[in-house]
Amino acid sequence: MNISYKWLKEYVDFELTPQEVCDALTSEGLEVDALEEVQSIKGGLKGLYVGKVLTCDVHPDSDHLHVTTVDLGRETPSQIVCGAPNVAAGQKVIVADIGCVLYDGDKEFVIKKSKLRGVESYGMICAEDEIGVGNSHDGIIVLPEDAPVGQPAAEYYNLESDWLIEVDITANRADALSHWGVARDLYAWLVQNGYKTSLHRPSDEAFAVDNTDMPIDVTIENTEACRRYACVSVSGCDVKESPEWLQNKLRVIGLRPINNIVDITNYVMMAYGQPLHCFDADMVKGHHIIVKTMPEGTPFVTLDGEEHKLSERDLAICNTDEPMCIAGVFGGKGSGTYDTTCNVVLESAYFHPTWIRKSARRHGLSTDASFRFERGIDPNGVIYALKQAALLCKELAGGKISMEIKDVYPEPIGDFKVELEYDYVNRLTGKNIPADTVKSIVRSLEMKIDAESENGLSLSVPPYRVDVQRPCDVVEDILRVYGYNNVEIPTQLKSSLVVKGDEDKKHKLEEIVSEQLVGCGFNEILNNSLTKSAYYEGLDSYAAENCVRIMNPLSSDLNVMRQSLLFGGLESIAHNANRKNPDLRFFEFGNVYHFSKEKHNADAPMSAYKEECHLGLWVTGKRVKGSWAHPDEDSSFYELKAYVENILRRIGLNSGTVLMHNSDNNIFSKGIAIENRGGKLLVEMGVISKNLLKASGIDGSVYYADLNWTALAKAVRKNKVGYKEISKYPPVSRDLALLIDKSVDFAQIEQIAYQTEKKLLKCVELFDVYEGKNLPEGKKSYAVNFILQDEGKTLNDKQIDTVMNKFINNIKGKLGAELR
């Protein structure tokens, strides 16, 4: 929110410097982000002077350029080539001298010595829009005869500097979205700190109806979305440029003047926080305004020429035939104010914040008006703002007020009632604030004291303070005006003992694993939990129908909660790969969300939703690159598998307590799933399918692991990771070459092995696979290594042979395997 220092002084009396005002506002919660000295015209007209055209001749090589000599009050006149059709000798003009900087929006250009068709030019004779004093580009500015030659343009136009205060308004402080709102807060601070001050704004007593020639009727059909609607008509308006004082006020705070009627509505909004809209009265068919919703899909063209389809939840301002405006958001084409407009209808209303916010997001429209309506405005300021706008229309456009104000207010919005106890104030602030100080502060904040006792106050809080409805909210307001710095830091620290729970242990495991992964060369990423539903189209394991959908999404790219961490990681990989950084190892801890239609229950609506914490790992690119000691090597699935196994080992999950099998998740072209013995899926990992990589714009292979961290933390919550002495007794290694069916995978062999021998078997590894000649049809050969070890003694041949024979018999019996 941009605040003008001079404009602020119109409402509250003070002698503070701009910096002191910033300090005061920041201390009471309106944090100032920047303070800048500005001119109402960008650049302050620096380098521009009044000049007199001495001669004006036709350019020898052009039929529209003129070669002039201009007196700038110096010894030698300046030669300037000018293309304006109205330039002539004897005129007083505005000249941009060499080195002058001119602005066109955010663009700027410097006036330099130049040649135009072979003739040298030492400056530029300016039009209104070129220097920011008007919008006309029909020709150069021609000044009155008495304009002093050589006078700086800033002096000629009486250009004054101002201070722009940029305040960061938090979402709860809608009341401060205007100069009047900030003035109210500053007034409270001044009163509390002992300054002599007063708060005031222009009176509306001069408002009077000139005639009743243009009555407008109003009907509110949707009283939930529109709580109050008022309008007044002004006839005989002359739509033209605003006077200089109004244009300057708007320019200082960053608004572009348009015409006097539109500028008045912007001025009132920035002054008092009440958004207004102005209709061409001749476009209000039937002279009847109806506030209602339209049928779903009703076409509507906004002032910017874009067509929108109205929803049945969009509130519209309509005439008897058609919608004229999306209420509180954007006006419609043809119903605004134009140069030909003569009669206008001014609208001032209070709309329900939620309706406006949803409409603005639904249509992707964000305006100064919607920004205020969706945060909550002052319902009691509707009529005051309307009267001020009508009075300005009379003053600046010569109009006549042509109807009594039509104010439809079905259910008036009352003050918020709050009971406040002094002990509660002291307990919450940590300091005993005198009762007189509390009463002084709440009065300065325009809260009414309905009753008071020894223990506290009964307050009525004005409805424009939408963030103050509870005792704690009032205490917050008191403390920010009283001053946080006036509350001493205590010398004692009070605390209570707490016991670590499962959540604390889970976070501790996250820290341990994060450090382990960083040590392995991984980088942690954090992605948005909101994502687009298109990612889940066509997936079986993450079906689109199981997405948790956002009721009011910010955009189509952020319309569901993520079911998997995968796609955020793929976006990060694509972003890095597009910037020549393809060799990546990422990990992310984050929540995923799932909706099950089958579990939906009206009595327990949350039963259909599930939220879990997952750990995602992504590996892509080169494992080794550019090393003098090692040839380049691509990353592989086995590298990812090793990282996963190390994580499981580190958190205390033994390989003998889990089962491995092929994954049927169609995000993988090939994958493995790890479950506990109860069938709970703990880990899925594999090679991401080509279709998903292509859709993400990734060329190389990506290996991904998804660890259900919630389930893993639960599985190991009673485990204690300890250490033991390295065995003094040697391990024994035995190999078996097995002929098995092609349908059998290594996970089945590993599972049978651990079921056969739980004490002595330490490791089972597959070290060779053969499929080819000299093998029966439908068969393959696995070479498997077994490591046996007894912690208490050396194994002898008899014990080893007994264990290996058990392996062989079980594998033969359960898998039909044969020894080669």
Side-chain angles (χ1 to χ4, degrees):
M1 175 69 191
N2 290 335
I3 298 294
S4 160
Y5 173 78
K6 288 185 175 180
W7 196 344
L8 194 62
K9 294 192 75 171
E10 295 178 13
Y11 303 133
V12 60
D13 297 329
F14 61 85
E15 297 300 328
L16 303 179
T17 66
Q19 184 58 57
E20 288 172 336
V21 170
C22 294
D23 294 340
L25 293 177
T26 299
S27 72
E28 59 177 348
L30 298 180
E31 184 178 354
V32 174
D33 186 58
L35 174 65
E36 179 186 0
E37 187 174 11
V38 296
Q39 291 80 27
S40 56
I41 297 176
K42 192 171 183 179
L45 301 181
K46 189 176 180 180
L48 292 160
Y49 301 93
V50 175
K52 181 176 182 180
V53 181
L54 301 178
T55 64
C56 179
D57 300 315
V58 176
H59 192 290
D61 194 25
S62 173
D63 56 358
H64 70 280
L65 294 178
H66 295 82
V67 180
T68 68
T69 56
V70 182
D71 179 11
L72 293 175
R74 301 167 187 167
E75 292 183 4
T76 307
S78 298
Q79 178 174 286
I80 299 176
V81 177
C82 179
N86 65 327
V87 65
Q91 292 174 335
K92 296 287 184 69
V93 294
I94 295 292
V95 176
D97 200 7
I98 299 296
C100 174
V101 180
L102 297 181
Y103 299 88
D104 180 13
D106 293 331
K107 298 178 182 178
E108 60 180 51
F109 60 94
V110 181
I111 301 299
K112 301 177 181 177
K113 174 185 173 182
S114 60
K115 275 190 177 182
L116 297 176
R117 302 226 178 157
V119 177
E120 291 184 337
S121 182
Y122 296 88
M124 173 179 165
I125 304 176
C126 301
E128 287 183 355
D129 64 333
E130 291 170 334
I131 64 173
V133 298
N135 298 318
S136 173
H137 194 72
D138 296 336
I140 59 170
I141 302 169
V142 179
L143 303 176
E145 275 296 321
D146 59 355
V149 173
Q151 182 182 30
E155 293 181 15
Y156 178 80
Y157 285 105
N158 296 315
L159 193 66
E160 296 181 1
S161 65
D162 194 356
W163 289 88
L164 182 67
I165 303 171
E166 186 178 332
V167 183
D168 287 339
I169 305 294
T170 52
N172 64 314
R173 292 303 309 277
D175 62 292
L177 287 170
S178 66
H179 285 75
W180 175 245
V182 173
R184 283 185 303 217
D185 254 32
L186 182 59
Y187 168 76
W189 184 90
L190 292 166
V191 170
Q192 171 60 25
N193 286 274
Y195 289 90
K196 186 178 180 180
T197 184
S198 64
L199 185 67
H200 44 79
R201 62 180 181 179
S203 171
D204 58 2
E205 291 180 359
F207 179 87
V209 177
D210 298 308
N211 57 62
T212 56
D213 296 344
M214 197 183 301
I216 302 293
D217 196 14
V218 174
T219 301
I220 301 178
E221 292 188 3
N222 190 323
T223 55
E224 176 198 349
C226 180
R227 304 290 299 275
R228 186 177 194 179
Y229 191 95
C231 71
V232 67
S233 61
V234 184
S235 62
C237 293
D238 180 16
V239 178
K240 58 184 179 181
E241 280 191 2
S242 299
E244 198 65 27
W245 68 266
L246 179 53
Q247 292 192 44
N248 287 343
K249 279 183 179 292
L250 297 178
R251 288 194 191 104
V252 164
I253 61 173
L255 295 182
R256 182 175 63 88
I258 298 174
N259 61 51
N260 52 357
I261 303 297
V262 175
D263 292 349
I264 286 168
T265 61
N266 285 333
Y267 168 78
V268 170
M269 177 175 64
M270 292 302 178
Y272 311 116
Q274 172 66 50
L276 303 176
H277 189 70
C278 185
F279 298 102
D280 187 322
D282 298 327
M283 300 294 179
V284 183
K285 297 176 182 177
H287 281 195
H288 189 183
I289 291 176
I290 306 168
V291 186
K292 62 181 181 179
T293 56
M294 300 297 292
E296 185 75 33
T298 300
F300 178 75
V301 180
T302 49
L303 282 168
D304 57 3
E306 295 291 326
E307 181 174 312
H308 298 261
K309 299 293 184 182
L310 296 182
S311 163
E312 61 182 9
R313 298 291 292 175
D314 288 327
L315 187 67
I317 310 300
C318 309
N319 55 37
T320 53
D321 293 348
E322 59 191 358
M324 300 183 294
C325 177
I326 302 176
V329 181
F330 219 103
K333 188 175 183 181
S335 65
T337 306
Y338 304 92
D339 293 341
T340 57
T341 298
C342 180
N343 305 315
V344 300
V345 178
L346 295 171
E347 164 199 284
S348 183
Y350 178 88
F351 301 116
H352 195 291
T354 303
W355 279 73
I356 302 305
R357 179 176 59 82
K358 289 185 176 181
S359 287
R361 299 296 180 274
R362 189 178 295 118
H363 296 286
L365 298 171
S366 180
T367 61
D368 286 330
S370 68
F371 187 81
R372 286 160 176 77
F373 277 126
E374 65 191 35
R375 284 161 175 78
I377 62 166
D378 182 6
N380 295 331
V382 168
I383 300 302
Y384 175 81
L386 189 61
K387 287 182 177 180
Q388 290 296 329
L391 288 171
L392 286 169
C393 285
K394 288 185 66 173
E395 177 187 345
L396 306 183
K400 294 184 180 297
I401 298 174
S402 298
M403 64 176 283
E404 294 285 352
I405 288 179
K406 183 70 173 180
D407 181 18
V408 182
Y409 198 5
E411 294 184 17
I413 300 172
D415 294 342
F416 304 121
K417 302 296 183 180
V418 178
E419 297 295 326
L420 184 69
E421 294 183 357
Y422 295 130
D423 286 344
Y424 180 76
V425 175
N426 298 334
R427 190 167 67 252
L428 223 59
T429 59
K431 181 166 182 170
N432 291 328
I433 301 177
D436 289 341
T437 302
V438 171
K439 288 188 283 186
S440 172
I441 291 175
V442 296
R443 286 193 182 106
S444 68
L445 290 170
E446 298 187 351
M447 301 179 193
K448 299 174 186 175
I449 299 177
D450 297 329
E452 58 179 296
S453 66
E454 293 183 0
N455 298 325
L457 305 170
S458 296
L459 300 174
S460 291
V461 181
Y464 68 77
R465 288 306 307 274
V466 293
D467 62 321
V468 183
Q469 301 184 30
R470 304 168 298 172
C472 59
D473 300 328
V474 177
V475 175
E476 181 185 357
D477 252 23
I478 291 170
L479 185 55
R480 67 184 181 83
V481 176
Y482 180 77
Y484 291 99
N485 292 335
N486 293 326
V487 179
E488 298 83 2
I489 298 175
T491 57
Q492 292 180 329
L493 177 65
K494 297 179 181 180
S495 64
S496 58
L497 297 175
V498 295
V499 179
K500 284 187 177 181
D502 290 342
E503 196 66 22
D504 300 291
K505 294 175 182 177
K506 182 164 97 43
H507 289 311
K508 180 63 177 177
L509 282 179
E510 287 181 18
E511 290 181 10
I512 291 172
V513 171
S514 295
E515 291 176 359
Q516 177 177 323
L517 289 170
V518 170
C520 293
F522 279 77
N523 288 299
E524 185 173 13
I525 58 175
L526 293 172
N527 286 296
N528 197 341
S529 295
L530 298 176
T531 186
K532 54 185 174 183
S533 58
Y535 280 143
Y536 302 98
E537 299 294 338
L539 296 183
D540 297 332
S541 299
Y542 306 113
E545 64 185 22
N546 297 130
C547 288
V548 178
R549 298 189 176 274
I550 307 300
M551 294 178 64
N552 187 30
L554 295 175
S555 68
S556 59
D557 287 343
L558 299 170
N559 59 352
V560 298
M561 305 292 284
R562 62 187 177 191
Q563 289 193 64
S564 170
L565 301 178
L566 170 64
F567 299 103
L570 292 181
E571 289 176 1
S572 299
I573 290 172
H575 180 85
N576 278 270
N578 291 338
R579 287 155 181 81
K580 308 301 181 183
N581 184 27
D583 307 322
L584 304 165
R585 290 176 181 80
F586 287 149
F587 76 95
E588 178 181 10
F589 283 100
N591 289 350
V592 297
Y593 309 85
H594 183 272
F595 170 74
S596 177
K597 188 176 180 180
E598 294 75 18
K599 295 181 180 179
H600 182 66
N601 185 340
D603 296 330
M606 296 306 296
S607 61
Y609 297 90
K610 182 172 67 174
E611 177 182 2
E612 292 180 327
C613 180
H614 280 227
L615 167 62
L617 304 181
W618 295 262
V619 176
T620 185
K622 298 286 186 183
R623 178 173 177 270
V624 181
K625 183 178 180 180
S627 172
W628 63 271
H630 194 292
D632 287 1
E633 180 182 335
D634 290 333
S635 297
S636 67
F637 168 75
Y638 302 102
E639 179 188 352
L640 175 70
K641 183 171 179 285
Y643 293 135
V644 172
E645 289 177 341
N646 286 338
I647 291 172
L648 299 182
R649 192 177 297 115
R650 183 66 182 84
I651 65 176
L653 193 67
N654 298 321
S655 56
T657 62
V658 297
L659 304 174
M660 282 192 183
H661 60 80
N662 289 333
S663 172
D664 57 0
N665 193 328
N666 65 337
I667 66 171
F668 301 120
S669 56
K670 293 181 180 179
I672 290 176
I674 301 177
E675 298 177 350
N676 63 16
R677 295 196 177 278
K680 177 66 176 179
L681 182 64
L682 301 177
V683 182
E684 281 189 295
M685 53 184 167
V687 185
I688 297 300
S689 71
K690 297 293 185 184
N691 291 338
L692 289 181
L693 294 180
K694 183 179 180 180
S696 301
I698 300 173
D699 294 330
S701 297
V702 175
Y703 308 98
Y704 171 66
D706 180 16
L707 291 79
N708 186 331
W709 197 249
T710 299
L712 287 171
K714 185 177 180 180
V716 301
R717 69 177 183 273
K718 294 183 180 180
N719 287 10
K720 291 185 178 180
V721 179
Y723 68 92
K724 60 183 178 180
E725 184 181 358
I726 297 176
S727 177
K728 299 176 182 178
Y729 305 100
V732 176
S733 176
R734 290 290 186 270
D735 295 337
L736 292 180
L738 303 172
L739 186 65
I740 55 176
D741 291 337
K742 286 188 175 182
S743 61
V744 176
D745 54 42
F746 173 69
Q748 295 173 270
I749 298 173
E750 185 180 34
Q751 180 180 349
I752 293 171
Y754 281 113
Q755 290 173 345
T756 302
E757 178 54 58
K758 298 178 181 178
K759 181 181 178 183
L760 300 180
L761 182 61
K762 303 300 180 183
C763 182
V764 182
E765 289 188 349
L766 176 67
F767 65 89
D768 187 48
V769 179
Y770 176 72
E771 297 180 59
K773 295 180 180 179
N774 302 323
L775 290 182
E777 185 71 23
K779 297 288 185 178
K780 62 182 176 181
S781 175
Y782 271 5
V784 184
N785 174 255
F786 299 83
I787 301 295
L788 305 175
Q789 187 178 32
D790 193 325
E791 304 291 340
K793 61 182 179 180
T794 301
L795 291 172
N796 56 43
D797 288 342
K798 184 177 180 181
Q799 292 173 306
I800 297 168
D801 291 342
T802 299
V803 171
M804 294 306 298
N805 286 333
K806 285 183 181 179
F807 288 157
I808 294 169
N809 292 333
N810 283 342
I811 292 171
K812 283 183 176 180
K814 295 181 179 181
L815 301 179
E818 300 177 21
L819 292 179
R820 290 188 66 198

